[in-house]
Amino acid sequence: MGTTMPPQTAQDPIDRRAFVRTALDLGDVVLRPWSREDAESEAVLDGLVDAAADPRIALWSPLAAADRSAALAWVQARDKAWDRGASASFAVREAAGGALLGNVALRWVDREDGLAMIGYWTLPAARGRGIATRATRAVTSWGFATADARRIEIAHAVGNEGSCRVADRCGYLPEGTLRDSYRFGDGKYHDEHLHARLATDPEPAEPAGEPAA
């Protein structure tokens, strides 16, 4: 008696578009998924408290991490977001010593459609070294290659020139200005520049001759 096999169906896009916890080694810097281990590190929690108090971060990327308890809750929320598959947040750390340098986060805007958004911030110790650019490029490539992202966007306040430089260096083409788009840390709505990259876009050339970010 023959056996009838069920017809094969294409893999569900939702299944393909999974954020799998991965460490990205950039040599002198390592990107590691925020995890329960970070929640147990007083040095990391103190780094988040310092980040929350930094004027630039407080304005453009405010963190709810005024003390260790709040920083712990912040880390736990990122860890749970990995579990849900909603976003992939990486702690940017020095390879030697593990000092916290920043954060890069890729999140789904429309997972079924393959539309994601990326954001980033760095502590003062990481600025001027090209770390934000390198980390954002690495997570962008990772998102296209492993999570089947189709399009990744960056939206930043028009006044945030550092973020604009990072977007340009990472191959995110400018697509326009969003008026009164987002309320930032000063409590005011700001216009934002929208940039985007497609999975089919070529890798950008290495930046040269510009201030590092």
Side-chain angles (χ1 to χ4, degrees):
M1 183 175 178
T3 301
T4 301
M5 299 295 291
Q8 290 187 338
T9 58
Q11 187 180 15
D12 190 320
I14 294 293
D15 294 334
R16 294 201 313 270
R17 292 176 174 135
F19 292 137
V20 178
R21 294 177 193 254
T22 310
L24 305 176
D25 189 346
L26 307 186
D28 57 328
V29 174
V30 178
L31 279 59
R32 295 193 181 96
W34 288 100
S35 68
R36 294 166 182 83
E37 181 179 340
D38 295 313
E40 297 171 357
S41 168
E42 291 183 354
V44 170
L45 297 181
D46 287 343
L48 283 170
V49 172
D50 290 342
D54 176 73
R56 188 184 300 185
I57 294 173
L59 176 58
W60 301 130
S61 304
L63 299 177
D67 54 33
R68 282 184 182 173
S69 177
L72 173 61
W74 189 92
V75 172
Q76 291 172 333
R78 269 84 208 144
D79 184 51
K80 291 176 181 177
W82 273 100
D83 291 340
R84 295 195 311 273
S87 67
S89 296
F90 293 85
V92 183
R93 310 275 293 271
E94 291 276 15
L100 180 65
L101 298 174
N103 172 71
V104 179
L106 181 67
R107 65 175 178 85
W108 291 119
V109 176
D110 186 332
R111 184 174 176 181
E112 186 172 0
D113 189 49
L115 174 61
M117 181 167 280
I118 196 167
Y120 39 85
W121 53 259
T122 54
L123 282 156
R127 295 171 193 160
R129 298 166 54 187
I131 288 174
T133 297
R134 293 166 56 207
T136 301
R137 286 173 67 125
V139 175
T140 297
S141 298
W142 173 85
F144 285 138
T146 70
D148 196 35
R150 177 186 64 83
R151 170 184 166 95
I152 302 177
E153 297 177 343
I154 291 174
H156 65 82
V158 170
N160 189 348
E161 296 178 356
S163 279
C164 197
R165 289 194 297 270
V166 170
D168 289 341
R169 292 185 187 126
C170 292
Y172 283 81
L173 299 181
E175 295 190 343
T177 300
L178 308 173
R179 296 181 301 158
D180 273 1
S181 176
Y182 191 80
R183 189 185 322 204
F184 285 86
D186 58 2
K188 300 176 182 178
Y189 283 96
H190 290 254
D191 293 351
E192 290 188 294
H193 285 158
L194 177 66
H195 303 248
R197 267 187 68 179
L198 304 179
T200 52
D201 288 341
E203 283 290 324
E206 291 291 335
E210 298 179 19

